[in-house]
Amino acid sequence: MYNKEGKAYIDLISGIGVSNLGHSNPYVVNAIKDQVDKYMHLMVYGEYVQTPQVRFAEKLISILPDNLQSVYFTNSGAEAVEGALKLAKRFTGRQQIVAFHNSYHGSTHGALSVMGNEEFKQAYRPLLPGVNFLRFNNTADLEFITDQTACVIIETVQGEAGIRVPDKAYMQALRARCNETGALLILDEIQAAFGRTGKLFAFEHFDIEPDILLLAKALGGGMPVGAFISSNQIMGALKENPILGHITTFGGHPVCCAAGLAALEVLLNENLIDAVGEKEALFRKLLVHPAIKEIRGKGLMLAIELDSFDLNKKIIDRCIENGIVTDWFLHCSNSMRIAPPLIITQNEITKACEIITEAIAFYS
């Protein structure tokens, strides 16, 4: 990226997981231009069957497990969360929701209700009733999921908590507990999907499948779009009583769907995910300094833990001055975010790590 004086910046946060392909990928830009030349907003659901939505949904279904058959496009990740919570309550007939401490699912009313950080939500209470919070990656807490639970909503990899990757055994135990109780498992992969962790979808690391999958951010290739995806049976609960169980004016906008399809085709056709593990290893190899307490994460979804927010903020400010765009996490302010576009080169990684380690050394 470049500022108005032409100064170059290496983007290490991808607009918080949005710009998987970098900025202005020509294939995506051309898809947007082609769709704009045809039409933009008509009527999103019902009255007109539109090619961009159908083609994008078909492509998504083709790369997902068989039980994820029906796509509901939204404007954003937060709206996908809202739709999924409504869907789970409607399908199960239950009201209790289980979420996790230090989770982040968005800032709208329902999404805020399942956020696991009181500091960010206290000013907006009362929120949704019946939400219980468990400790992330703690198997003992799974007993609190019962036959009264409509759904469990969890980030497959926690993002704003400072990139927390759960144990495989824990995620499998969670899936089993949901099966036992009839609770729907909602996996929030709004940050973690589309190769970010080294797999097309993060749940592939754990050999589980969700009942409802949440997508956004990189889904649109830089354009605003989200989705909640489930089986035909579960999604069918939104068809009646009331007949329009969830409504959105701009969700599934044809230009956004055209961009999202193009971005997904680039991701798959250029095999960008294959190199994610190697790039992660290079970051881990080069980011070495006594002040770094830990590097957490998977793939190109990493957190550098430092001693304090004050130190982290100084280092981040110096990095920005020296041409690196990065930031910290909402629920983990002493950690620096490393989540570059998947197209980042080894030379760019090397340069970025040099700037980061220089900044750390300057203040340590």
Side-chain angles (χ1 to χ4, degrees):
M1 300 189 293
Y2 300 86
N3 69 9
K4 62 182 181 180
E5 287 81 27
K7 180 180 178 179
Y9 294 83
I10 297 175
D11 181 3
L12 286 191
I13 55 176
S14 307
I16 316 298
V18 171
S19 305
N20 264 16
L21 306 181
H23 302 275
S24 299
N25 179 277
Y27 189 73
V28 176
V29 170
N30 286 335
I32 292 169
K33 290 179 178 178
D34 288 345
Q35 183 57 44
V36 168
D37 285 342
K38 294 172 183 175
Y39 61 88
M40 290 185 278
H41 179 72
L42 299 179
M43 177 78 163
V44 177
Y45 291 109
E47 275 67 15
Y48 304 103
V49 177
Q50 298 177 53
T51 298
Q53 297 162 5
V54 173
R55 289 184 61 207
F56 194 18
E58 285 177 339
K59 186 66 175 181
L60 287 168
I61 295 307
S62 75
I63 59 175
L64 284 167
D66 291 343
N67 70 307
L68 298 175
Q69 308 152 329
S70 181
V71 181
Y72 194 114
F73 289 119
T74 63
N75 296 285
S76 66
E79 191 191 332
V81 171
E82 300 285 346
L85 295 177
K86 287 173 60 180
L87 176 60
K89 292 167 74 173
R90 179 70 182 85
F91 180 77
T92 63
R94 304 173 183 179
Q95 297 181 0
Q96 184 190 87
I97 297 169
V98 166
F100 291 83
H101 293 296
N102 291 322
S103 61
Y104 181 82
H105 300 288
S107 292
T108 50
H109 197 82
L112 196 64
S113 300
V114 293
M115 179 195 287
N117 187 315
E118 188 61 29
E119 177 185 355
F120 285 93
K121 55 201 283 187
Q122 60 183 351
Y124 306 102
R125 289 194 176 278
L127 297 169
L128 287 182
V131 180
N132 297 327
F133 289 90
L134 310 185
R135 291 169 292 180
F136 187 76
N137 205 32
N138 187 297
T139 305
D141 281 6
L142 298 182
E143 66 178 281
F144 295 106
I145 302 168
T146 72
D147 60 7
Q148 300 300 307
T149 305
C151 62
V152 178
I153 181 168
I154 185 171
E155 296 161 274
T156 316
V157 175
Q158 279 197 327
E160 296 309 309
I163 314 300
R164 310 286 173 170
V165 182
D167 298 329
K168 184 174 181 178
Y170 171 78
M171 294 299 280
Q172 293 186 341
L174 171 61
R175 176 68 272 183
R177 183 61 178 167
C178 289
N179 291 344
E180 291 169 11
T181 60
L184 298 185
L185 178 59
I186 302 174
L187 291 185
D188 180 340
E189 298 219 356
I190 290 167
Q191 284 198 51
F194 300 111
R196 175 64 44 196
T197 66
K199 297 277 191 181
L200 186 56
F201 299 100
F203 63 76
E204 297 175 32
H205 292 288
F206 307 102
D207 294 332
I208 63 169
E209 296 175 3
D211 297 302
I212 305 174
L213 178 66
L214 307 181
L215 302 173
K217 294 190 181 293
L219 176 68
M223 295 291 284
V225 63
F228 58 102
I229 305 175
S230 192
S231 66
N232 289 330
Q233 179 189 12
I234 294 172
M235 197 73 84
L238 295 178
K239 290 183 177 180
E240 57 186 7
N241 299 322
I243 190 171
L244 296 174
H246 193 65
I247 306 172
T248 173
T249 297
F250 291 109
H253 191 283
V255 179
C256 298
C257 286
L261 176 60
L264 183 54
E265 289 173 343
V266 171
L267 179 70
L268 298 175
N269 294 341
E270 297 187 8
N271 300 315
L272 295 177
I273 301 172
D274 294 347
V276 168
E278 182 180 346
K279 292 174 181 180
E280 174 193 359
L282 185 58
F283 270 113
R284 290 184 179 273
K285 176 183 177 181
L286 297 178
L287 288 173
V288 177
H289 191 278
I292 297 176
K293 301 177 69 174
E294 181 183 16
I295 298 178
R296 289 185 303 274
K298 190 175 284 290
L300 292 176
M301 190 175 180
L302 302 172
I304 304 172
E305 183 174 337
L306 299 161
D307 186 60
S308 67
F309 171 68
D310 288 341
L311 176 60
N312 191 30
K313 179 65 164 59
K314 291 176 182 178
I315 291 168
I316 287 171
D317 288 346
R318 186 170 178 85
C319 285
I320 293 172
E321 290 174 8
N322 292 329
I324 294 292
V325 177
T326 184
D327 71 343
W328 61 90
F329 299 91
L330 285 180
H331 307 335
C332 187
S333 61
N334 67 325
S335 294
M336 179 190 300
R337 190 189 310 266
I338 303 291
L342 305 189
I343 62 168
I344 192 170
T345 66
Q346 292 197 356
N347 287 339
E348 288 166 341
I349 292 173
T350 300
K351 181 177 179 181
C353 290
E354 289 173 353
I355 292 172
I356 293 170
T357 52
E358 185 280 332
I360 294 173
F362 185 84
Y363 286 109
S364 302

